[in-house]
Amino acid sequence: DSSSGAAKTEAEEGGKSTDDDDKEDKAAQSLLNKLIRNNLVNTTNQVEVLQKDPNSPLYSVKSFEELRLKPQLLQGVYGLGFNRPSKIQETALPMMLAEPPQNLIAQSQSGTGKTAAFVLAMLSHVDPNNKYPQCLCVSPTYELALQTGKVIEQMGKHYPEVQLVYAIRGNKLQRGMKLQEQIVIGTPGTMLDWCGKFKFIDPKKVKVFVLDEADVMIATQGHQDQSIRIQRMLPKNCQMLLFSATFEESVWNFAQRIVPDPNIIKLKREEETLDTIKQYYVLCNCKEEKFQALCNIYGAITIAQAMIFCHTRKTAGWLAGELSREGHQVALLSGEMQVEQRAAVIERFRGGKEKVLVTTNVCARGIDVEQVSVVINFDLPVDKDGNPDNETYLHRIGRTGRFGKRGLAINMVDSKMSMNILNRIQEHFNKKIEKLDTDDLDEIE
Ligand code: ADP
């Protein structure tokens, strides 16, 4: 009975196709990130800027005052607890607020301040005296649109003349009506209908068009096309802004169709490294032995907080149960949980309410819990073809340079196949993974 041997993904377990799961997963992951994020991601990397007109001077700001924002908005910014612009905001904000307005394509990982930046730009550009939509913002899902809406409400708290409406399925308006709200945020399909079919919005009066989470957007059938059709209804001088966390070729192609003559800002993600991590593996024969090894490890060393990764929901559920029976306070993240529930579990774990977090990979992608000092791969990360998933391995246990606290990673190996995967991971990173004898644990810690 070897659970890591079976290269069965969560998606297959649930009876869904992996592709569909992947799409859903992208939007869900992004939402999860938003729900659990309460501050900026730190980065030491510099932004890369490619200006439409390379001869024009490049402004960047170190304070919000320099931007000459409306006082109500500056109050909103400070009300949110922002002291100074984030790395990407330093250059993106002056570009977005320039006269005449400039188009922008910006890419940086989640949590670097993109949403706050374009929300500030939208709020700055609207004229509250004009009672019609002036800014349109499209998001991949209803839930993501609501999250952005919240930021607009918070930042615009002292600017109540500016109103917001959600163009989302289920928000049914009377035929023939004209929207009075200055900002419309929604999903591409409904936004397109509201501009075209129903004419609730006069697209010719729109001054700012924002397309958020372009990489998530293009994963959904039809969104790309709908967004382009909205864009085509807008006036030539409408400011176009596009944001994405990642930038594959497909995102780039899409971005260029949405944003003519763009300025481009990119912020590299902080590199993760295994340099400050001690890596071990433990040889077992079955999942029960793996569990026993885990108990031995817990008996031998003090573990403040640990994350344990399993390949399937079933294993994760089983392991969480066994650990609870041993008296551990265990948190479980599992695929069938709603994103909000997952966020709550992660928050509790971060707050130290539980000491062990058992999770499947799908759930935990992209989560960083900085205080975790021990990561256990109860199953090694493999892709859907059963090959080692090096990227996930690095992301699970790696640390970014600046916060490089020392860490401990323990890999459970229970078959020839998983030994082979471990060897390939070891070769890939060219970093030794040492064998650990769990009956004699003096060597670690
Ligand atoms: P992104 O859109 O890139 O994911 P957000 O705009 O949502 O990033 O910002 C991530 C987190 O950082 C949010 O909690 C947000 O409130 C906060 N934040 C954004 N800009 C600043 C800033 N200049 N100073 C402090 N916190 C900020």
Side-chain angles (χ1 to χ4, degrees):
D1 174 32
S2 124
S3 41
S4 70
K8 197 165 142 197
T9 67
E10 271 208 301
E12 283 158 356
E13 245 183 9
K16 271 188 285 179
S17 85
T18 313
D19 250 19
D20 270 359
D21 202 66
D22 220 42
K23 282 169 201 162
E24 239 172 72
D25 182 45
K26 269 197 162 175
Q29 200 56 58
S30 180
L31 181 62
L32 182 61
N33 264 315
K34 280 181 199 279
L35 294 176
I36 62 177
R37 173 131 282 139
N38 36 32
N39 50 18
L40 281 167
V41 165
N42 277 293
T43 167
T44 47
N45 289 333
Q46 288 305 313
V47 291
E48 266 177 63
V49 184
L50 203 72
Q51 282 181 285
K52 170 189 71 164
D53 173 9
N55 296 319
S56 77
L58 176 66
Y59 294 110
S60 84
V61 291
K62 293 289 178 196
S63 73
F64 285 108
E65 284 82 7
E66 287 172 74
L67 291 166
R68 314 206 167 284
L69 298 167
K70 293 194 176 75
Q72 305 94 305
L73 292 179
L74 195 58
Q75 232 184 319
V77 167
Y78 289 145
L80 279 166
F82 301 179
N83 296 320
R84 68 189 70 78
S86 71
K87 240 337 173 302
I88 191 142
Q89 290 164 0
E90 286 179 1
T91 26
L93 283 171
M95 261 177 199
M96 290 193 285
L97 301 177
E99 279 302 335
Q102 311 215 5
N103 291 347
L104 175 67
I105 296 175
Q107 179 239 328
S108 62
Q109 78 188 86
S110 146
T112 47
K114 298 185 295 298
T115 308
F118 72 70
V119 165
L120 197 54
M122 288 197 294
L123 286 168
S124 296
H125 285 307
V126 294
D127 181 345
N129 297 316
N130 292 336
K131 307 290 181 207
Y132 54 74
Q134 300 154 46
C135 301
L136 308 185
C137 174
V138 290
S139 286
T141 65
Y142 166 71
E143 291 82 4
L144 287 167
L146 288 184
Q147 288 304 313
T148 305
K150 276 194 190 149
V151 180
I152 299 175
E153 272 159 22
Q154 289 168 337
M155 204 171 280
K157 193 174 161 197
H158 305 281
Y159 201 12
E161 310 93 287
V162 177
Q163 296 284 307
L164 164 71
V165 64
Y166 292 97
I168 47 187
R169 216 192 310 276
N171 197 358
K172 298 261 184 286
L173 306 180
Q174 237 173 13
R175 278 200 177 257
M177 82 164 284
K178 302 282 174 213
L179 288 175
Q180 307 219 323
E181 289 84 354
Q182 293 89 349
I183 300 178
V184 189
I185 166 154
T187 46
T190 308
M191 190 74 88
L192 179 63
D193 283 348
W194 284 20
C195 289
K197 195 155 117 200
F198 299 120
K199 302 197 164 45
F200 299 141
I201 299 167
D202 180 357
K204 287 285 167 254
K205 291 184 176 164
V206 173
K207 294 197 282 190
V208 184
F209 178 59
V210 178
L211 192 140
D212 194 18
E213 311 229 25
D215 50 350
V216 183
M217 199 74 99
I218 63 168
T220 305
Q221 190 79 34
H223 274 175
Q224 201 166 154
D225 192 47
Q226 289 159 345
S227 303
I228 288 165
R229 285 168 62 195
I230 298 168
Q231 194 265 10
R232 285 198 193 131
M233 293 183 197
L234 305 171
K236 280 271 167 304
N237 61 354
C238 174
Q239 182 177 37
M240 314 276 177
L241 308 169
L242 178 140
F243 299 86
S244 187
T246 59
F247 237 136
E248 307 89 77
E249 185 77 13
S250 53
V251 181
W252 178 236
N253 291 337
F254 174 55
Q256 288 186 309
R257 294 182 67 187
I258 292 283
V259 186
D261 299 323
N263 292 295
I264 299 160
I265 299 182
K266 287 187 191 179
L267 179 60
K268 276 215 197 75
R269 160 186 277 285
E270 201 91 1
E271 301 260 341
E272 283 163 319
T273 152
L274 297 177
D275 288 349
T276 52
I277 308 295
K278 278 296 260 182
Q279 302 175 75
Y280 291 101
Y281 74 92
V282 182
L283 214 49
C284 309
N285 287 308
C286 58
K287 74 171 194 277
E288 286 75 16
E289 269 188 43
K290 292 203 241 180
F291 173 65
Q292 194 48 53
L294 195 56
C295 292
N296 292 350
I297 292 165
Y298 262 100
I301 62 172
T302 328
I303 300 179
Q305 275 198 308
M307 273 176 92
I308 307 180
F309 289 91
C310 301
H311 194 59
T312 63
R313 291 179 196 175
K314 202 167 140 206
T315 311
W318 170 81
L319 182 61
E322 294 296 305
L323 283 165
S324 299
R325 258 191 290 287
E326 287 288 309
H328 293 282
Q329 300 153 279
V330 186
L332 174 65
L333 270 187
S334 188
E336 68 273 12
M337 291 165 81
Q338 297 289 316
V339 174
E340 288 76 10
Q341 288 176 302
R342 291 186 209 178
V345 170
I346 295 165
E347 283 302 341
R348 283 176 56 88
F349 181 66
R350 274 188 173 164
K353 297 228 169 50
E354 279 98 12
K355 309 294 174 211
V356 194
L357 179 68
V358 178
T359 176
T360 57
N361 189 41
V362 172
C363 287
R365 202 173 291 156
I367 297 172
D368 14 78
V369 182
E370 271 160 32
Q371 74 263 34
V372 173
S373 54
V374 180
V375 174
I376 293 163
N377 287 322
F378 199 78
D379 298 306
L380 291 168
V382 290
D383 64 21
K384 55 181 188 292
D385 304 317
N387 290 313
D389 184 347
N390 294 315
E391 199 188 325
T392 299
Y393 184 83
L394 178 64
H395 192 69
R396 279 183 189 178
I397 73 171
R399 301 292 151 101
T400 58
R402 208 164 68 156
F403 308 97
K405 278 192 248 151
R406 294 193 68 77
L408 180 64
I410 300 173
N411 298 292
M412 305 278 184
V413 171
D414 64 356
S415 63
K416 269 216 179 79
M417 207 154 110
S418 54
M419 193 63 223
N420 173 271
I421 286 163
L422 186 93
N423 284 331
R424 284 160 70 189
I425 290 174
Q426 183 170 257
E427 271 165 40
H428 177 87
F429 292 107
N430 196 18
K431 284 261 161 8
K432 183 118 184 91
I433 305 178
E434 276 171 68
K435 185 169 176 190
L436 190 66
D437 178 359
T438 51
D439 295 322
D440 175 21
L441 284 164
D442 294 341
E443 54 194 298
I444 55 171
E445 209 180 24

Coordinates of all heavy atoms in Angstrom, one line a residue, residues 233-265:
M233 N -14.8 48.4 -28.0 CA -15.9 49.4 -27.9 C -15.4 50.7 -27.3 O -16.2 51.7 -27.3 CB -17.0 48.9 -27.0 CG -17.7 47.7 -27.6 SD -19.1 47.3 -26.4 CE -19.4 45.7 -26.9
L234 N -14.3 50.7 -26.7 CA -13.8 51.8 -25.9 C -13.2 52.9 -26.8 O -12.6 52.5 -27.9 CB -12.8 51.4 -24.8 CG -13.3 50.3 -23.9 CD1 -12.2 49.7 -23.0 CD2 -14.5 50.8 -23.0
P235 N -13.2 54.1 -26.4 CA -12.6 55.2 -27.2 C -11.0 55.0 -27.3 O -10.4 54.4 -26.4 CB -12.9 56.5 -26.5 CG -13.3 56.1 -25.2 CD -13.8 54.7 -25.2
K236 N -10.5 55.5 -28.3 CA -9.0 55.4 -28.6 C -8.2 56.0 -27.4 O -7.1 55.4 -27.1 CB -8.6 56.2 -29.9 CG -8.9 55.5 -31.2 CD -7.7 54.6 -31.6 CE -8.1 53.6 -32.7 NZ -9.2 52.8 -32.4
N237 N -8.7 57.0 -26.8 CA -7.9 57.7 -25.8 C -8.1 57.1 -24.4 O -7.7 57.6 -23.4 CB -8.1 59.2 -25.8 CG -9.5 59.5 -25.5 OD1 -10.4 58.6 -25.4 ND2 -9.8 60.8 -25.3
C238 N -8.9 56.0 -24.3 CA -9.1 55.4 -23.0 C -7.9 54.7 -22.5 O -7.1 54.1 -23.3 CB -10.2 54.3 -23.2 SG -10.5 53.3 -21.7
Q239 N -7.6 54.9 -21.2 CA -6.4 54.3 -20.7 C -6.6 52.8 -20.5 O -7.6 52.4 -19.9 CB -6.1 55.0 -19.3 CG -4.8 54.5 -18.7 CD -4.5 55.2 -17.4 OE1 -5.4 55.6 -16.6 NE2 -3.2 55.5 -17.1
M240 N -5.6 52.0 -21.0 CA -5.7 50.6 -20.8 C -4.7 50.1 -19.9 O -3.5 50.4 -20.1 CB -5.5 49.9 -22.2 CG -6.3 50.5 -23.3 SD -7.9 49.9 -23.4 CE -8.6 50.8 -24.8
L241 N -5.1 49.3 -18.9 CA -4.1 48.8 -17.9 C -4.3 47.3 -17.7 O -5.5 46.9 -17.6 CB -4.4 49.5 -16.5 CG -4.4 51.0 -16.5 CD1 -4.9 51.6 -15.2 CD2 -3.0 51.6 -16.8
L242 N -3.3 46.6 -17.8 CA -3.4 45.1 -17.6 C -2.4 44.6 -16.6 O -1.2 45.0 -16.6 CB -3.2 44.5 -19.0 CG -3.2 42.9 -19.0 CD1 -3.9 42.4 -20.3 CD2 -1.8 42.3 -18.9
F243 N -2.9 43.7 -15.8 CA -2.0 43.2 -14.7 C -2.0 41.7 -14.7 O -3.0 41.0 -15.0 CB -2.6 43.7 -13.3 CG -2.5 45.2 -13.3 CD1 -3.6 45.9 -13.7 CD2 -1.4 45.8 -12.8 CE1 -3.5 47.3 -13.7 CE2 -1.3 47.2 -12.7 CZ -2.4 47.9 -13.2
S244 N -0.9 41.1 -14.3 CA -0.8 39.7 -14.3 C 0.3 39.3 -13.3 O 1.3 40.0 -13.1 CB -0.4 39.2 -15.7 OG -0.4 37.8 -15.7
A245 N 0.1 38.1 -12.7 CA 1.1 37.6 -11.7 C 2.2 36.9 -12.5 O 3.4 36.9 -12.0 CB 0.5 36.7 -10.7
T246 N 1.9 36.3 -13.6 CA 2.9 35.6 -14.4 C 2.9 36.0 -15.8 O 1.9 36.7 -16.2 CB 2.7 34.0 -14.4 OG1 1.4 33.8 -14.9 CG2 2.7 33.5 -12.9
F247 N 3.9 35.7 -16.6 CA 3.9 36.2 -17.9 C 4.4 35.2 -18.9 O 5.5 35.3 -19.4 CB 4.8 37.5 -18.0 CG 4.0 38.6 -18.5 CD1 4.1 39.9 -18.0 CD2 3.2 38.4 -19.7 CE1 3.3 40.9 -18.5 CE2 2.5 39.5 -20.2 CZ 2.5 40.7 -19.6
E248 N 3.6 34.2 -19.2 CA 4.0 33.2 -20.2 C 3.7 33.9 -21.6 O 3.0 34.9 -21.6 CB 3.1 31.9 -20.2 CG 3.1 31.2 -18.9 CD 2.0 31.7 -18.0 OE1 0.8 31.3 -18.2 OE2 2.3 32.5 -17.0
E249 N 4.1 33.2 -22.6 CA 3.9 33.7 -24.0 C 2.4 34.1 -24.2 O 2.1 35.1 -24.8 CB 4.4 32.6 -24.9 CG 4.4 33.0 -26.4 CD 5.5 33.9 -26.8 OE1 6.5 34.0 -26.0 OE2 5.5 34.4 -27.9
S250 N 1.5 33.2 -23.8 CA 0.1 33.4 -24.1 C -0.4 34.6 -23.4 O -1.3 35.3 -24.0 CB -0.7 32.1 -23.7 OG -0.4 31.8 -22.3
V251 N 0.0 34.9 -22.2 CA -0.4 36.1 -21.5 C 0.1 37.3 -22.2 O -0.6 38.3 -22.4 CB 0.1 36.1 -20.0 CG1 -0.4 37.3 -19.3 CG2 -0.3 34.8 -19.3
W252 N 1.3 37.2 -22.6 CA 1.9 38.4 -23.3 C 1.2 38.7 -24.6 O 0.9 39.8 -24.9 CB 3.4 38.0 -23.6 CG 4.2 39.0 -24.3 CD1 4.8 38.9 -25.5 CD2 4.3 40.4 -23.9 NE1 5.4 40.1 -25.8 CE2 5.1 41.0 -24.9 CE3 3.8 41.2 -22.9 CZ2 5.4 42.4 -24.9 CZ3 4.1 42.5 -22.8 CH2 4.9 43.1 -23.8
N253 N 0.9 37.7 -25.4 CA 0.1 37.9 -26.6 C -1.2 38.5 -26.4 O -1.6 39.4 -27.1 CB -0.1 36.5 -27.4 CG 1.2 36.0 -27.9 OD1 2.2 36.8 -28.1 ND2 1.3 34.7 -28.1
F254 N -1.9 38.0 -25.4 CA -3.2 38.6 -25.0 C -3.0 40.1 -24.6 O -3.8 40.9 -25.0 CB -3.8 37.7 -23.9 CG -5.0 38.3 -23.3 CD1 -6.1 38.6 -24.1 CD2 -5.1 38.4 -21.9 CE1 -7.3 39.0 -23.5 CE2 -6.3 38.9 -21.4 CZ -7.4 39.2 -22.2
A255 N -2.0 40.3 -23.7 CA -1.8 41.6 -23.2 C -1.6 42.7 -24.3 O -2.1 43.8 -24.3 CB -0.6 41.6 -22.3
Q256 N -0.9 42.2 -25.3 CA -0.6 43.2 -26.4 C -1.8 43.5 -27.3 O -1.9 44.5 -27.9 CB 0.5 42.6 -27.3 CG 1.8 42.8 -26.5 CD 3.0 42.4 -27.4 OE1 3.0 41.3 -28.0 NE2 4.0 43.3 -27.4
R257 N -2.8 42.5 -27.3 CA -4.0 42.8 -28.0 C -4.9 43.7 -27.2 O -5.8 44.4 -27.8 CB -4.8 41.5 -28.3 CG -4.0 40.6 -29.2 CD -4.7 39.3 -29.5 NE -5.9 39.6 -30.3 CZ -6.8 38.6 -30.6 NH1 -6.6 37.4 -30.2 NH2 -7.9 38.9 -31.3
I258 N -4.8 43.7 -25.9 CA -5.7 44.6 -25.0 C -5.1 46.0 -24.9 O -5.8 46.9 -24.8 CB -5.8 43.9 -23.6 CG1 -6.6 42.6 -23.7 CG2 -6.4 44.9 -22.6 CD1 -8.1 42.8 -23.9
V259 N -3.8 46.1 -24.8 CA -3.1 47.3 -24.5 C -2.2 47.8 -25.6 O -1.1 47.3 -25.8 CB -2.3 47.2 -23.2 CG1 -1.7 48.5 -22.7 CG2 -3.1 46.6 -22.0
P260 N -2.7 48.8 -26.4 CA -1.9 49.4 -27.4 C -0.8 50.3 -26.8 O -1.0 50.9 -25.8 CB -2.8 50.2 -28.3 CG -4.0 50.4 -27.4 CD -4.0 49.4 -26.3
D261 N 0.3 50.4 -27.5 CA 1.4 51.3 -27.0 C 1.7 51.2 -25.5 O 1.7 52.2 -24.8 CB 1.1 52.8 -27.4 CG 1.0 53.0 -28.9 OD1 1.7 52.3 -29.6 OD2 0.1 53.8 -29.3
P262 N 2.0 50.1 -25.0 CA 2.1 50.0 -23.6 C 3.5 50.4 -23.0 O 4.5 50.3 -23.7 CB 1.9 48.5 -23.3 CG 2.5 47.8 -24.5 CD 2.2 48.8 -25.7
N263 N 3.4 50.9 -21.8 CA 4.6 50.9 -21.0 C 4.6 49.5 -20.3 O 3.5 49.0 -20.0 CB 4.6 52.0 -19.9 CG 4.7 53.3 -20.5 OD1 5.7 53.7 -21.1 ND2 3.6 54.1 -20.4
I264 N 5.8 49.0 -20.0 CA 5.8 47.7 -19.4 C 6.6 47.7 -18.1 O 7.7 48.2 -18.1 CB 6.4 46.6 -20.4 CG1 5.5 46.6 -21.7 CG2 6.5 45.3 -19.8 CD1 6.2 46.0 -22.9
I265 N 6.0 47.2 -17.1 CA 6.8 47.0 -15.8 C 6.8 45.6 -15.4 O 5.7 44.9 -15.4 CB 6.1 47.9 -14.7 CG1 6.1 49.4 -15.1 CG2 6.8 47.7 -13.4 CD1 5.5 50.2 -14.0

